[in-house]
Amino acid sequence: MGWLREHLTLVRLCVLALLIIALLGPWVYENLSVPDEYDCAPSLVRIRPGFCGDPMSGWFVMGYFGVGFFGVLWALLSGATTFQEAGPNLIAGLVWLPVLPLLSSLLLLWRGERPRLKGAHMVALLLMIGLTLVFIIAEDPTVVSIHMWGPWLFLAALAAGLAVESVTAFRSRSGAEAA
């Protein structure tokens, strides 16, 4: 475990890099109607009969839905709409949640070992593990495939990050109790 303690910054950087790579990978497909007698173009994937899918990255999805979220938020704050009218559109803000473990990782790398920051980082990792699992389970089973590796890599990187933080937290706690 001494190796992990010595190279904790490097391991955290690797987990952060995996999270970024996962968000650059395909998360969802844009449905394109292509009859079965035609092949899908090279960048497209056959996702079900009569449809090909154009892969879209997690960053693209966050940007696409996130712009609408900020528009609704502005309308709510300026009084142009009520909370009841804006409520369903505010749910689009959930697409920004994958940024939480990225930000908490950056803060942990920048500010160092602080118990509250480390706790907040572990909460962000746990929250995103749950939400990523919900995303994977809720997707159409024909769409969640090996071609859509972004959520799977994101989930693996989150689990690895949580394991590293849990082990180092346990080791530092047991080391402090022994002293």
Side-chain angles (χ1 to χ4, degrees):
M1 231 18 82
W3 182 90
L4 183 61
R5 190 48 78 190
E6 287 177 27
H7 298 93
L8 186 58
T9 301
L10 178 64
V11 172
R12 285 179 177 157
L13 281 171
C14 290
V15 169
L16 180 63
L18 284 175
L19 290 171
I20 291 170
I21 290 168
L23 284 173
L24 290 171
W27 276 62
V28 295
Y29 292 112
E30 179 182 6
N31 289 331
L32 303 172
S33 178
V34 177
D36 289 334
E37 58 266 13
Y38 297 105
D39 289 335
C40 294
S43 67
L44 305 178
V45 176
R46 178 75 60 186
I47 55 175
R48 63 177 180 263
F51 286 93
C52 290
D54 188 15
M56 294 188 294
S57 71
W59 289 115
F60 177 82
V61 172
M62 285 191 308
Y64 184 77
F65 289 107
V67 171
F69 167 74
F70 289 113
V72 170
L73 188 61
W74 176 254
L76 184 64
L77 293 174
S78 67
T81 187
T82 65
F83 186 75
Q84 287 79 16
E85 294 168 345
N89 294 327
L90 288 175
I91 292 175
L94 293 175
V95 300
W96 288 101
L97 286 177
V99 174
L100 284 177
L102 299 176
L103 293 177
S104 65
S105 292
L106 288 172
L107 280 172
L108 205 54
L109 287 166
W110 177 47
R111 301 294 288 175
E113 290 289 317
R114 299 189 180 208
R116 287 187 182 169
L117 187 56
K118 194 167 184 169
H121 179 60
M122 291 176 73
V123 167
L125 291 170
L126 277 170
L127 174 69
M128 281 315 305
I129 286 173
L131 288 175
T132 305
L133 282 171
V134 166
F135 175 82
I136 290 171
I137 293 168
E139 276 296 311
D140 184 6
T142 60
V143 176
V144 177
S145 66
I146 194 74
H147 299 289
M148 197 171 74
W149 53 266
W152 297 105
L153 180 60
F154 196 72
L155 185 63
L158 289 169
L162 184 63
V164 166
E165 297 303 334
S166 298
V167 166
T168 58
F170 178 73
R171 291 291 178 197
S172 63
R173 173 175 269 162
S174 63
E177 289 174 359

